Amino acid sequence: MPAKYSHIKKRPPVAPKNSKKGTNSTGKHTHNRRHDTPNPHGDRSLTQAKSAVSELERALARILLLRYEQDIARLFSTRLHHISVVYIPTFVMKCVTLAGPGWAAHNADSEELKDFFRTVIGMDLRQAGEPLRHFAMSNGVAICQKKGLHSMRLLPYISGIKAHLAALESMASPTLLKPPHLGGFAAGQHTLEEACQTKYARWSEIPLEWREESDWRPKVRLGYDKTVQTLWRVAKEFDIRGYGQILRDKLSNKWCECGCSTDHLGDVCEKTVREHEEESGVRSGKQREWDGRGSGIFGWETDEEEDIWELELDFRGMDPDELEEGVDPSMTIGEIMEWRFLRAEHEKEQGNIAFRRALFDTAITHYEAAHKIEPELPHYQLNIAAACLKLSKWIEAEEACSKALSQHRSSKGLFRRAKARQMLGKTDDAMKDLRTILRFQPSNRDAQSELIALLPPNTAPPLPASSSSSDDQQYLEHLHEYLGIAKPKATKPIPFPKTPADSVKLKICILPTSDVPLWEHHREVTEKGKQKLTMTMKTELTDREKEMQRLRKSNMAFPGWDKYVVQKV
């Protein structure tokens, strides 16, 4: 539970599964209210009331979903700002010390950097719905029995709720934008310059390119700025609306319409929120709505807003019946995320082995198992699409690609969907996908050749004049004009010449997982009556802990902003 509501007591442990209040033997939501439709000829007023409540509940669920999308987009924008100021200086430092001070400025737009950013941002975004997911599933926060807001009490205000929903529906789609209240990235620039100066000040023989007379500072600053720009461009390839699958399904398809949305959410009542705001000195005029928007976020919409991705969220004490297979109630969110990711990657590796052996049906089974374990990572759907293309299952391949593209607009997903659509006779849609690839990857040769092949007969593209870089660029511009693709924006030239060091090829390697010891915490009381916390290595492991250690020993890559090394090729 976020520290903000640590004063709120959790509900007592629930009864065994078969006797748990509010559920039946199938685990579905039940309560004392009747869900069966009344006889319209017997009581028309009851039918009308039930219809009004259903309409209200659908509006509330839709409001929650739209607010969730907008808020997650803004919160992840804060996360990206934090990455830009804290992690990108370290990343640029590792690159320029291996090559030269101008390397990042000349290579910030390389596919090597973009692929690394895509991988780690994808790992971050899979957590976008995690706190709300467990919050909604466990109902771990007590409801104020006296002042808790039940949705039935909102019936007199349904017209205002509909107007609020219409306003939300008319808003622009949630996008990742630099938060204006957090300022620029000067702190990241300063950190990088200071780190470079400190590193080479200790050398007895400072390299020529790092001496003050070589004017390395503007090169490093520009490299940092261009790397940050690349980070934000890559982040905009992701669609926030594709994440939070469990909560999204709950709000879209499994929302009860009987007037019990408070029972669904287990939310903190408005009185509790307002009392805590007064105690914490939250600025006046904030007027947080009943759904608890921004609850648990320190400094919400201020320059002190915290990066919730850096918090170690702890949801211990959840209802064991609500947990997925293999998850222990004592696990933290971080441990659950690692457990799920390692299991999904293990299934993916089994699928890759089957794929290389041309056992494509078996590969699909493993890829589908991986996606079921970890539905927030889109690349499992791309693996399914690749295997379906091999089996000429064009419809299934198109569907898998579309699911992946709903989360991340990747060139791989667009290309595979174009292949499937081409085979289904959807030539216009296939050409649209290929043109989309060329908009953000203008030099993608595979997309160029496939798009040319789909053009009407008796048409021929322009031929390249020579092999020089300037002629290649001119040919690319003519080709894009011929293919009906908007000309890419011209980039500003680098204000300093490119040196041999700036052409050095660097490789970013994600560190694999490793076997780490598990520790037990023990509290002891000293002779003076004070509590003392001690730690000992755990020797007797549970079956889940043994499985976790086995997966960690398999050396799977576990992407993270601090889990990589940069090497010369």
Side-chain angles (χ1 to χ4, degrees):
M1 183 189 304
K4 181 173 177 120
Y5 293 121
S6 59
H7 67 292
I8 302 173
K9 295 180 181 180
K10 289 190 175 183
R11 289 176 175 170
V14 295
K17 184 173 183 179
N18 291 336
S19 62
K20 186 172 63 172
K21 182 180 178 181
T23 58
N24 57 21
S25 59
T26 63
K28 294 182 179 179
H29 170 73
T30 61
H31 43 62
N32 295 330
R33 300 185 187 89
R34 291 175 59 86
H35 279 243
D36 54 315
T37 305
N39 184 349
H41 301 289
D43 192 342
R44 188 173 299 276
S45 62
L46 184 59
T47 303
Q48 293 172 346
K50 188 174 181 65
S51 175
V53 171
S54 299
E55 188 177 12
L56 170 66
E57 288 289 359
R58 286 194 294 271
L60 292 177
R62 183 63 181 163
I63 287 172
L64 288 173
L65 181 59
L66 293 173
R67 290 284 292 273
Y68 161 74
E69 291 174 349
Q70 295 288 345
D71 288 351
I72 285 295
R74 213 190 54 69
L75 288 171
F76 195 70
S77 296
T78 299
R79 168 64 171 169
L80 288 173
H81 187 278
H82 180 80
I83 291 167
S84 302
V85 175
V86 175
Y87 291 103
I88 294 301
T90 303
F91 176 78
V92 175
M93 175 75 178
K94 291 181 178 181
C95 294
V96 298
T97 52
L98 280 176
W103 187 91
H106 286 282
N107 296 275
D109 202 42
S110 67
E111 287 301 314
E112 181 78 22
L113 265 69
K114 288 180 181 178
D115 285 341
F116 172 66
F117 288 164
R118 287 172 185 133
T119 301
V120 188
I121 288 173
M123 286 292 286
D124 273 353
L125 277 176
R126 67 191 271 263
Q127 301 180 54
E130 202 63 23
L132 286 173
R133 172 183 188 270
H134 287 273
F135 185 75
M137 289 179 68
S138 66
N139 291 329
V141 180
I143 303 171
C144 176
Q145 298 299 320
K146 296 181 179 179
K147 299 291 185 180
L149 180 57
H150 194 284
S151 54
M152 288 285 284
R153 301 181 187 177
L154 293 172
L155 271 176
Y157 312 101
I158 192 168
S159 59
I161 289 173
K162 286 182 178 179
H164 181 50
L165 175 58
L168 290 175
E169 294 278 13
S170 65
M171 292 175 66
S173 299
T175 55
L176 300 172
L177 301 171
K178 296 175 184 177
H181 59 281
L182 294 180
F185 306 111
Q189 274 190 354
H190 178 72
T191 300
L192 177 59
E193 283 188 55
E194 196 174 62
C196 292
Q197 185 175 13
T198 303
K199 177 180 177 65
Y200 289 105
R202 297 194 300 263
W203 288 33
S204 57
E205 184 70 27
I206 300 177
L208 180 62
E209 64 270 19
W210 289 101
R211 294 177 185 174
E212 290 296 338
E213 57 267 24
S214 299
D215 204 18
W216 58 267
R217 294 177 188 275
K219 298 178 182 179
V220 169
R221 283 198 295 265
L222 181 61
Y224 169 79
D225 289 341
K226 291 180 75 67
T227 304
V228 169
Q229 291 168 12
T230 299
L231 171 73
W232 283 85
R233 279 201 305 272
V234 168
K236 289 179 180 179
E237 296 176 6
F238 291 83
D239 191 342
I240 292 294
R241 296 169 297 179
Y243 290 88
Q245 297 292 339
I246 299 295
L247 183 66
R248 184 177 302 280
D249 187 45
K250 191 179 185 73
L251 292 172
S252 302
N253 305 319
K254 298 178 181 177
W255 192 261
C256 177
E257 297 181 357
C258 66
C260 61
S261 60
T262 303
D263 297 334
H264 280 284
L265 287 176
D267 210 343
V268 181
C269 70
E270 180 68 9
K271 181 180 179 182
T272 305
V273 174
R274 290 191 182 280
E275 286 177 352
H276 185 68
E277 286 179 351
E278 292 174 3
E279 294 171 3
S280 305
V282 176
R283 70 185 191 280
S284 59
K286 187 172 189 311
Q287 298 177 347
R288 181 177 294 146
E289 282 85 358
W290 68 271
D291 59 356
R293 185 184 188 199
S295 60
I297 310 300
F298 176 80
W300 175 261
E301 290 187 338
T302 71
D303 56 358
E304 296 180 353
E305 182 176 317
E306 65 187 343
D307 175 10
I308 62 172
W309 271 259
E310 289 292 298
L311 300 179
E312 190 65 37
L313 294 177
D314 186 355
F315 283 82
R316 289 186 172 98
M318 289 173 56
D319 180 359
D321 295 327
E322 298 284 3
L323 295 172
E324 58 200 87
E325 181 183 356
V327 175
D328 191 279
S330 65
M331 295 171 71
T332 65
I333 289 294
E335 291 169 340
I336 292 174
M337 298 293 285
E338 182 184 7
W339 164 251
R340 190 184 304 147
F341 176 76
L342 293 178
R343 288 174 58 222
E345 285 294 290
H346 177 72
E347 288 289 348
K348 187 197 78 171
E349 289 303 317
Q350 297 300 310
N352 289 346
I353 293 172
F355 190 95
R356 289 192 289 268
R357 294 175 178 173
L359 302 173
F360 302 118
D361 283 314
T362 304
I364 290 174
T365 301
H366 285 293
Y367 294 146
E368 287 177 342
H371 183 259
K372 183 178 180 180
I373 295 169
E374 184 48 272
E376 303 289 354
L377 286 176
H379 63 266
Y380 301 129
Q381 287 293 332
L382 295 181
N383 291 67
I384 293 172
C388 287
L389 288 173
K390 292 290 186 180
L391 294 171
S392 301
K393 294 183 176 180
W394 316 122
I395 295 176
E396 292 84 348
E398 182 187 19
E399 290 175 351
C401 289
S402 295
K403 288 179 182 177
L405 290 167
S406 70
Q407 293 177 301
H408 179 214
R409 187 191 60 184
S410 65
S411 59
K412 189 180 292 186
L414 289 165
F415 188 81
R416 290 178 183 173
R417 189 170 70 175
K419 294 286 286 185
R421 286 178 166 178
Q422 178 186 354
M423 300 307 296
L424 289 169
K426 302 178 180 179
T427 306
D428 290 340
D429 290 336
M431 293 176 70
K432 182 179 178 181
D433 284 341
L434 294 170
R435 286 193 173 99
T436 303
I437 296 173
L438 292 174
R439 285 193 189 97
F440 62 89
Q441 285 187 353
S443 58
N444 190 310
R445 299 291 185 184
D446 292 334
Q448 289 174 9
S449 59
E450 286 292 327
L451 185 54
I452 291 171
L454 291 176
L455 291 173
N458 303 322
T459 59
L463 298 175
S466 67
S467 58
S468 67
S469 59
S470 60
D471 287 337
D472 278 348
Q473 182 63 31
Q474 190 176 11
Y475 164 69
L476 201 59
E477 292 176 1
H478 286 311
L479 182 62
H480 278 214
E481 183 179 354
Y482 171 78
L483 295 175
I485 301 171
K487 184 179 179 181
K489 294 181 179 179
T491 56
K492 293 182 179 179
I494 306 296
F496 45 84
K498 190 172 185 178
T499 66
D502 299 332
S503 300
V504 170
K505 296 293 183 182
L506 298 181
K507 183 179 181 181
I508 305 164
C509 302
I510 297 172
L511 295 175
T513 56
S514 58
D515 184 15
V516 295
L518 300 178
W519 301 89
E520 288 183 301
H521 297 78
H522 304 279
R523 292 188 181 274
E524 301 176 356
V525 180
T526 63
E527 295 178 355
K528 296 182 179 180
K530 294 183 178 180
Q531 286 192 348
K532 180 182 178 182
L533 183 65
T534 59
M535 296 174 58
T536 57
M537 189 179 298
K538 197 171 185 179
T539 54
E540 296 184 3
L541 305 180
T542 64
D543 292 340
R544 194 269 307 167
E545 290 169 339
K546 290 177 182 178
E547 178 67 10
M548 176 73 89
Q549 294 295 72
R550 185 187 69 79
L551 291 172
R552 283 172 172 165
K553 291 177 182 177
S554 59
N555 291 327
M556 295 180 189
F558 193 83
W561 292 108
D562 55 353
K563 298 175 181 177
Y564 67 94
V565 293
V566 182
Q567 300 172 342
K568 283 187 179 181
V569 176

